[in-house]
Amino acid sequence: MGKPLRVLRLLGAAIVLAAVASCSNIDRKHGYVPEDTDLEQIVVGVDSKDTVAELVGTPTASGVLDTSGWYYVASKFRVYGIREQREVDRQVVAISFAEDGTVENVERFGLEDGNVIAISRRVTDSNIKGVGFLRQLFGSIGNFAADQLVN
C-alpha cells in the first residue's frame, strides 16, 4: 500500500510543478540593435555606409531607396504560459545617409504605449525639419482619405 501512495504523491508533485512552470513568463528577443556606446563611434557627416558596417554591423533592413537609410530593429516578446505572446519592447535605430554617402542622422526610437517615441537623436545642422523618416512614416498613417489617393 505504501508504493501506490508514493506514486500518487510523486504524480501530484509533478502536476503542481508543471502548473507552476506553465505560469512563468518566457522572454524572446528578435533582431539586433547596436548599443549606444557603439553608435557614439559613428561621426555624423564623416562616416559612410562602409565604416558604419564596420562599427555596428550590417542593418536588419534598409530603406526603400538605397540612399534613404539603414534600420536596425529588435523586439522583445513575452509569453505567459499558453497565452499568446505579447510585444513588450521594440527598439529601432535609423541611420540615414546624405546624397554624398555620409551619415546624416542617427536616431533611436522605442515603443511606448503603442506610440513611437524618439529616445535619442543625433542629426546634422542641415536637417531643417528635425523630423526623421520613421516619424514621417508613422505620422502619415490615418491622415489621408481614400479620395485623396484617387485624385
Side-chain angles (χ1 to χ4, degrees), residues 59-70:
T60 306
S62 58
V64 176
L65 302 174
D66 186 41
T67 59
S68 67
W70 284 3

Side-chain angles (χ1 to χ4, degrees), residues 64-85:
V64 176
L65 302 174
D66 186 41
T67 59
S68 67
W70 284 3
Y71 305 98
Y72 300 84
V73 182
S75 294
K76 180 179 177 182
F77 294 91
R78 184 161 290 155
V79 180
Y80 294 102
I82 60 171
R83 289 187 242 161
E84 186 176 344
Q85 68 180 2

Side-chain angles (χ1 to χ4, degrees), residues 108-123:
R108 180 182 295 271
F109 297 94
L111 182 67
E112 185 175 300
D113 299 328
N115 297 316
V116 176
I117 59 166
I119 295 174
S120 65
R121 175 177 290 154
R122 290 181 15 222
V123 296

Side-chain angles (χ1 to χ4, degrees), residues 29-35 38 55-60 71-75 91-93:
K29 296 179 182 180
H30 301 277
Y32 162 72
V33 172
E35 297 293 326
D38 296 331
L55 292 171
V56 297
T58 56
T60 306
Y71 305 98
Y72 300 84
V73 182
S75 294
Q91 297 286 318
V92 177
V93 170

Side-chain angles (χ1 to χ4, degrees), residues 108-151:
R108 180 182 295 271
F109 297 94
L111 182 67
E112 185 175 300
D113 299 328
N115 297 316
V116 176
I117 59 166
I119 295 174
S120 65
R121 175 177 290 154
R122 290 181 15 222
V123 296
T124 61
D125 294 334
S126 65
N127 188 1
I128 297 170
K129 295 181 184 176
V131 178
F133 170 75
L134 289 176
R135 185 163 308 266
Q136 291 174 7
L137 177 68
F138 289 119
S140 65
I141 295 175
N143 289 333
F144 55 89
D147 63 342
Q148 292 175 326
L149 297 175
V150 176
N151 294 334

